[in-house]
C-alpha cells in the first residue's frame, strides 16, 4: 500500500454517487459505509502493497464465504465471495488463502474478527461480508475489509440490489478492496466488447459480443450477417465504434449498446476502418482508404466536421489518442515497413517511436498515459509489448505464434489481447496479462474470440 | 474509543445493466460465397467453359494474382494474368468487376486491411493501364478475413496473399 493510501486512514471513503441519465436503473443500490473501529487504535496499518515495483509479492488475503440466509441466499453469498477471490487472484496483486486453513468461522456480519486467528495463518487482510434478503425481495450485500495486523477495519460498504445483479456487486466490492489496498483504481466492474468467431476458418461468422471482464454474462450485439471487426468503447458512454462490411461496403459504425441503435460514422468516399474514440468520446479517429493509401481522419461527432490528419502515400492506420487528447499514436509504413508513430492530435509533427527489430503495429495508448502497448512481429513470432511514448523502455510481455491487438484495463495495469493458434482448426482466444508480463490468464468466451476492447469502469 | 462510527448513507446509484438488446443468436449462415473470392466457381464436371462465361474467366483467364509477403506490387507472373484479364474484359464489355484484395494471416488486422486495399488498387490501376475503363472496376479489401487456404504453412499463406478479380454481374 502506498503512503497516500495509508494516510487516508481507516474511515472508508464514500463512493461518489452518480446518476446515469440514460441508464436502466435495474441495479439501484445504496452504498452505505460500514465502519467499525476495533480497540480504538490509531489509524496505522501494517499492510504494505507496493504496486510501483516490477516484481510484486502478492498480498495474502482471507475471503471467507459471505454469510447468507438459508438455501439460495447462502449459495449466492458464497458465490459473491468466490467472484471477489477470483478477481483479486487474477490481478496478481493478491493471494487469496485456502479457506481450509481458516481457524475462525465468521458467523455474523457485525462481529469483530479474532485477529489472532487470522494472523497465525498469515492473512494480512480479511474480507467479511453478508447477503441479507430484504422484505421486498432485494438483497442487501455488505462487506468489511480488515487489516489483520493492525486489528482494524479499513473500509466497509453495503449495497441494495436485485438478486440477478449479484456479480456486479462482487465486482464493485472487488474494486473497493483493490483500491483501498493498492491506492489505485480497480478494473473489475468493467466489460469487454469483442468479436465472437464461429464456423470454419475460411468462412468465419463474426458477431459483436459483450461480456463482463471475467467472461461472465456474454451476449451478442450483432447477428453475424455482416463481417464485423475491431469494436472499441466510447470512454464516456455505453457506445462502441466498430467496422462492418454491410452490403459489401466496409465502413465504420457507431452502436449504442443499450438501445441497439446503429449509424454510419461520417460520409466518406471510400472504405473507413480502424476507428477509435477520443478520450472525451466526442470524436472518432479512423483510416480512410484512398486508392492504395490509407490516411487518418478525425470526425467530430457533434459538428460532423471531418479533419484530415495524415497525408502520405502510405498506409496510416490504427490511431489511438493519448488520455489527455493532445497526441495520437498510429501505425504507418511510410518508412518502408510498419512502425509506430506519434503525432499531435492535429496531425502535426509525426515522429517514429519504434526502432526495435521487426515490425510494429496496433499501438494503444495506456489510460494512464505512461505507456503505449503494441503488437510486434519478429522472426515469425507475434509479441505484445509496451514502450514509453518516446519509444524508450520497450518491454515484451508475451510472445508466441500469434498474439495481437492489446487493450488496456482502465487502470492501465492489465492488458487483454487475442492469441491465435495455427492450422485449419485453430482460432483466436482472449488472454490477459499484467504489466509485469506475469499473471497470464485465458479469458473464457463461448467460442473463438478476437479483438477485445476494455470498457471504462462502470460505476 | 471503541466507537462505532456510522457514516450516513451514501448516494443512490443508478447502475446500468443493458437489459435490452438481447439480440438472439440467429445463426443464419451467410449466403453464397460473395466474399470467398472464387469468382465464377469451379468448372462443372466434364463441362467445357463457355467462352465469355464466368467459368471461362476463372479457368482460362485466371481470376487471381499473388503477392510476396508484405508486398503490394504486381509480379511479372501477375502481370501476365492481368494482361489476359484485360483482354478478356475488352472482349466482353458487359462485365463489371470487383477486385478483392487479401492478405495472409501473418499480420495484424487493421494494417492488413490497408495492405489488401493497396493490392486491389494496384491491380485496378494495372487493368486501367491496359485500357479497361475505371468505372468498370470496383475494389474492396478483406484484409486477412477471407483466407482460401487454412494450413499453417508458407504454401497456404502465399495463396492467401492475393487479389481476385470477381465478375460483378456474371449472372446477367
Amino acid at each position: 500500500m502506498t503512503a497516500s493510501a495509508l494516510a487516508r486512514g481507516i474511515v472508508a471513503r464514500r463512493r461518489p454517487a452518480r446518476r446515469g441519465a440514460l441508464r436502466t436503473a435495474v441495479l439501484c443500490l445504496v452504498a452505505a459505509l460500514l465502519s467499525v473501529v476495533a480497540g480504538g487504535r490509531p489509524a496505522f496499518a501494517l499492510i504494505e502493497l507496493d504496486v510501483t515495483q516490477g516484481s510484486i509479492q502478492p498480498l495474502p488475503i482471507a475471503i471467507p464465504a459471505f454469510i447468507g440466509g438459508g438455501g439460495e441466499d447462502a449459495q449466492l453469498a458464497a458465490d459473491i465471495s468466490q467472484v471477489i477471490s477470483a478477481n483479486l487472484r487474477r490481478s496478481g496483486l493478491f493471494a487469496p488463502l485456502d479457506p481450509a486453513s481458516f481457524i475462525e468461522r465468521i458467523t455474523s456480519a457485525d462481529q469483530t474478527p479474532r485477529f489472532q486467528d487470522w494472523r497465525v495463518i498469515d492473512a494480512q487482510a480479511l474480507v467479511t461480508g453478508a447477503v441479507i434478503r430484504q422484505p421486498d425481495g432485494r438483497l442487501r450485500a455488505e462487506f468489511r475489509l480488515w487489516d489483520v495486523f493492525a486489528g482494524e477495519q479499513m473500509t466497509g460498504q453495503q449495497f441494495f440490489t436485485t438478486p440477478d445483479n449479484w456479480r456486479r456487486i462482487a465486482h464493485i466490492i472487488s474494486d473497493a478492496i483493490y483500491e483501498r489496498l493498492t491506492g489505485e483504481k480497480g478494473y473489475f466492474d468493467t466489460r469487454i466488447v469483442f468479436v465472437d468467431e464461429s464456423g470454419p476458418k475460411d468462412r468465419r461468422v463474426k458477431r459483436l459480443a459483450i461480456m463482463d471482464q471475467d467472461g461472465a454474462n456474454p451476449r451478442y450485439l450483432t447477428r453475424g450477417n455482416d463481417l464485423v471487426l475491431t469494436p472499441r468503447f466510447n470512454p464516456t458512454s455505453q457506445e462502441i465504434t466498430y467496422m462492418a462490411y454491410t452490403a459489401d461496403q466496409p465502413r465504420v459504425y457507431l452502436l449504442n449498446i443499450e438501445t441497439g441503435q446503429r449509424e454510419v460514422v461520417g460520409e466518406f468516399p471510400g472504405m473507413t476502418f480502424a476507428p477509435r474514440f477520443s478520450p472525451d468520446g466526442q470524436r472518432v479517429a479512423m483510416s480512410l482508404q484512398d486508392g492504395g493509401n490509407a490516411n487518418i481522419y478525425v470526425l467530430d461527432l457533434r459538428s460532423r466536421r471531418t479533419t484530415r490528419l495524415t497525408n502520405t502515400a502510405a498506409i496510416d492506420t490504427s490511431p489511438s489518442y493519448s488520455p489527455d487528447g493532445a497526441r495520437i499514436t498510429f501505425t504507418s509504413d511510410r518508412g518502408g515497413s510498419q512502425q509506430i508513430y506519434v503525432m499531435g492530435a492535429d496531425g502535426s509533427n509525426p515522429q517514429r517511436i519504434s526502432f526495435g527489430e521487426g515490425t510494429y503495429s496496433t499501438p494503444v495508448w495506456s489510460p494512464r498515459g505512461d505507456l503505449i502497448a503494441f503488437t510486434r512481429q519478429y522472426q515469425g513470432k507475434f509479441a505484445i509489448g509496451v514502450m514509453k511514448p518516446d519509444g524508450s523502455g520497450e518491454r515484451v510481455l508475451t510472445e508466441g505464434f500469434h498474439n495481437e491487438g492489446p487493450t488496456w484495463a482502465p487502470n492501465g495495469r492489465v492488458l487483454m489481447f487475442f492469441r491465435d493458434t495455427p492450422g485449419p482448426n485453430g482460432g483466436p482466444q482472449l488472454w490477459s496479462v499484467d504489466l509485469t508480463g506475469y499473471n497470464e490468464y485465458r479469458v473464457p468466451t463461448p467460442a473463438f474470440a478476437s479483438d477485445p476492447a476494455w470498457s471504462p469502469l462502470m460505476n | 474509543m471503541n466507537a462505532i462510527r456510522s457514516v450516513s448513507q451514501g448516494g443512490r446509484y443508478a447502475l446500468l445493466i443493458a437489459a435490452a438488446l438481447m439480440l438472439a443468436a440467429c445463426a443464419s449462415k451467410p449466403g453464397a460465397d460473395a466474399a470467398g473470392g472464387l469468382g465464377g466457381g469451379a468448372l462443372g464436371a466434364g463441362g467445357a467453359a463457355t467462352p465469355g462465361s464466368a467459368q471461362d474467366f476463372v479457368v482460362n483467364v485466371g481470376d487471381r494474382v499473388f503477392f510476396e509477403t508484405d508486398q503490394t506490387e504486381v509480379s511479372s507472373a501477375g502481370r501476365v494474368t492481368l494482361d489476359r484479364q484485360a483482354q478478356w474484359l475488352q472482349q466482353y464489355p458487359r462485365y463489371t468487376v470487383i477486385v478483392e484484395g487479401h492478405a495472409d494471416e501473418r499480420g495484424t488486422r487493421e494494417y492488413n486491411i490497408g495492405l489488401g486495399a493497396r493490392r486491389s488498387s494496384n491491380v485496378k490501376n494495372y487493368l486501367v493501364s491496359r485500357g479497361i475503363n475505371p468505372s468498370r472496376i470496383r475494389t474492396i479489401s478483406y484484409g486477412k478475413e477471407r483466407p482460401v487456404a487454412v494450413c499453417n504453412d508458407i504454401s497456404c499463406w502465399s495463396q492467401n496473399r492475393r487479389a481476385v478479380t470477381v465478375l460483378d454481374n456474371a449472372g446477367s
Side-chain angles (χ1 to χ4, degrees):
Chain A
M1 180 161 59
T2 61
S4 64
L6 272 171
R8 283 202 290 267
I10 56 165
V11 177
R13 290 161 311 120
R14 293 172 55 175
R15 293 177 156 277
R18 194 176 107 189
R19 277 197 179 80
L22 300 170
R23 298 171 179 179
T24 324
V26 178
L27 174 63
C28 171
L29 53 82
V30 179
L33 297 166
L34 308 169
S35 184
V36 175
V37 179
R41 295 205 207 172
F44 174 73
L46 295 175
I47 298 181
E48 293 287 337
L49 185 53
D50 184 350
V51 294
T52 62
Q53 298 302 307
S55 157
I56 293 160
Q57 190 66 34
L59 182 93
I61 187 168
I63 310 172
F66 281 19
I67 299 151
E72 207 178 297
D73 288 355
Q75 187 58 50
L76 199 63
D79 289 346
I80 286 176
S81 37
Q82 268 171 21
V83 168
I84 295 168
S85 182
N87 278 339
L88 296 178
R89 184 188 304 281
R90 265 197 327 279
S91 76
L93 300 179
F94 300 91
L97 298 171
D98 181 359
S101 69
F102 298 169
I103 299 164
E104 183 186 16
R105 199 166 148 257
I106 302 289
T107 53
S108 157
D110 297 322
Q111 88 191 61
T112 300
R114 287 198 308 271
F115 293 109
Q116 184 55 32
D117 284 1
W118 300 98
R119 284 178 200 131
V120 298
I121 63 166
D122 286 334
Q124 292 201 37
L126 168 67
V127 179
T128 60
V131 175
I132 302 111
R133 180 80 60 163
Q134 302 299 289
D136 63 2
R138 293 190 307 159
L139 299 177
R140 190 180 90 219
E142 60 183 59
F143 82 98
R144 294 169 198 268
L145 172 65
W146 306 88
D147 180 332
V148 169
F149 283 81
E152 285 166 359
Q153 178 177 321
M154 298 181 77
T155 187
Q157 292 177 40
Q158 64 177 13
F159 309 93
F160 290 91
T161 187
T162 52
D164 56 325
N165 283 319
W166 69 271
R167 277 189 164 270
R168 281 214 60 199
I169 291 294
H171 294 315
I172 290 168
I173 292 173
S174 303
D175 282 330
I177 295 166
Y178 184 99
E179 183 171 354
R180 188 66 186 81
L181 289 175
T182 67
E184 293 183 1
K185 282 280 190 193
Y187 56 91
F188 302 115
D189 189 25
T190 54
R191 296 191 288 181
I192 307 294
V193 63
F194 64 99
V195 172
D196 172 274
E197 300 197 13
S198 55
K201 201 168 206 169
D202 57 355
R203 197 172 288 224
R204 278 276 205 265
V205 174
K206 294 197 172 191
R207 293 180 286 183
L208 292 185
I210 190 167
M211 64 186 182
D212 299 347
Q213 52 78 25
D214 60 357
N217 297 320
R219 62 190 174 88
Y220 299 107
L221 300 173
T222 64
R223 288 191 257 186
N225 309 35
D226 303 333
L227 174 61
V228 291
L229 303 171
T230 65
R232 276 87 192 238
F233 268 100
N234 185 324
T236 65
S237 69
Q238 292 299 309
E239 186 177 51
I240 57 174
T241 182
Y242 66 105
M243 183 203 192
Y245 285 69
T246 300
D248 277 342
Q249 293 283 345
R251 282 185 202 290
V252 168
Y253 288 85
L254 291 178
L255 176 70
N256 184 310
I257 55 181
E258 291 185 339
T259 65
Q261 197 167 26
R262 184 178 107 140
E263 61 175 294
V264 174
V265 178
E267 289 176 20
F268 294 98
M271 169 177 70
T272 47
F273 64 107
R276 213 177 274 275
F277 283 100
S278 60
D280 64 4
Q282 299 295 340
R283 285 161 287 158
V284 175
M286 68 197 121
S287 289
L288 169 65
Q289 194 68 36
D290 176 19
N293 307 331
N295 281 293
I296 295 173
Y297 286 70
V298 60
L299 177 84
D300 187 303
L301 295 171
R302 286 172 298 191
S303 69
R304 298 276 147 184
R305 212 183 61 194
T306 298
T307 310
R308 180 178 188 146
L309 300 184
T310 70
N311 189 356
T312 64
I315 297 171
D316 295 337
T317 191
S318 305
S320 169
Y321 279 90
S322 60
D324 64 2
R327 289 182 289 170
I328 290 173
T329 182
F330 63 102
T331 303
S332 177
D333 63 1
R334 60 185 65 183
S337 69
Q338 304 161 67
Q339 297 295 341
I340 297 174
Y341 291 72
V342 169
M343 64 182 172
D346 59 357
S348 61
N349 194 26
Q351 299 283 336
R352 177 174 163 182
I353 64 162
S354 61
F355 290 97
E357 290 185 287
T359 59
Y360 291 75
S361 58
T362 79
V364 190
W365 217 303
S366 159
R368 288 206 286 212
D370 55 344
L371 293 169
I372 290 170
F374 56 81
T375 307
R376 185 191 72 167
Q377 292 167 247
Y378 180 56
Q379 293 185 329
K381 288 183 172 174
F382 285 57
I384 301 294
V386 293
M387 64 174 73
K388 292 181 183 166
D390 65 1
S392 68
E394 180 180 335
R395 284 191 294 130
V396 164
L397 303 180
T398 187
E399 184 168 30
F401 168 72
H402 195 114
N403 302 287
E404 180 179 342
T407 180
W408 291 93
N411 72 353
R413 178 167 289 282
V414 180
L415 290 148
M416 201 176 288
F417 57 95
F418 71 92
R419 175 173 291 168
D420 211 342
T421 48
N425 299 318
Q429 296 181 314
L430 305 190
W431 288 76
S432 66
V433 66
D434 71 23
L435 265 186
T436 65
Y438 291 99
N439 299 298
E440 202 174 272
Y441 291 99
R442 190 169 91 71
V443 184
T445 50
F448 286 139
S450 58
D451 293 5
W454 218 309
S455 82
L457 270 175
M458 290 164 71
N459 53 41
Chain B
M1 288 279 276
N2 297 335
I4 293 179
R5 269 191 263 180
S6 63
V7 181
S8 66
Q9 296 274 296
R12 187 175 286 270
Y13 280 46
L15 292 179
L16 53 109
I17 292 287
L21 198 77
M22 277 290 226
L23 291 182
C26 302
S28 58
K29 283 270 180 191
D33 186 14
L38 284 178
L43 189 61
T50 311
S53 68
Q55 286 89 341
D56 181 35
F57 183 74
V58 172
V59 175
N60 298 323
V61 176
D63 67 344
R64 63 196 59 200
V65 298
F66 301 100
F67 298 84
E68 295 300 312
T69 301
D70 271 339
Q71 297 303 306
T72 55
E73 295 305 314
V74 179
S75 67
S76 54
R79 287 196 293 273
V80 172
T81 302
L82 295 185
D83 285 340
R84 282 199 306 269
Q85 288 187 4
Q87 203 172 16
W88 193 90
L89 288 170
Q90 280 175 330
Q91 199 176 344
Y92 302 105
R94 67 177 181 276
Y95 290 108
T96 59
V97 298
I98 304 171
V99 178
E100 299 177 353
H102 299 270
D104 68 29
E105 54 270 53
R106 304 308 287 153
T108 51
R109 194 175 318 286
E110 290 176 340
Y111 182 78
N112 274 9
I113 291 171
L115 205 58
R118 198 191 271 159
R119 285 172 178 158
S120 64
S121 174
N122 285 347
V123 165
K124 175 179 178 174
N125 291 343
Y126 189 86
L127 291 173
V128 169
S129 79
R130 286 294 178 270
I132 306 300
N133 190 321
S135 68
R136 292 176 68 194
I137 308 171
R138 199 159 72 80
T139 59
I140 189 168
S141 171
Y142 286 100
K144 61 174 174 175
E145 306 306 314
R146 293 285 184 259
V148 288
V150 295
C151 72
N152 177 34
D153 196 296
I154 290 168
S155 67
C156 280
W157 302 335
S158 58
Q159 289 178 63
N160 292 335
R161 292 189 301 269
R162 68 202 192 274
V164 183
T165 305
V166 178
L167 302 181
D168 198 13
N169 47 355
S172 58

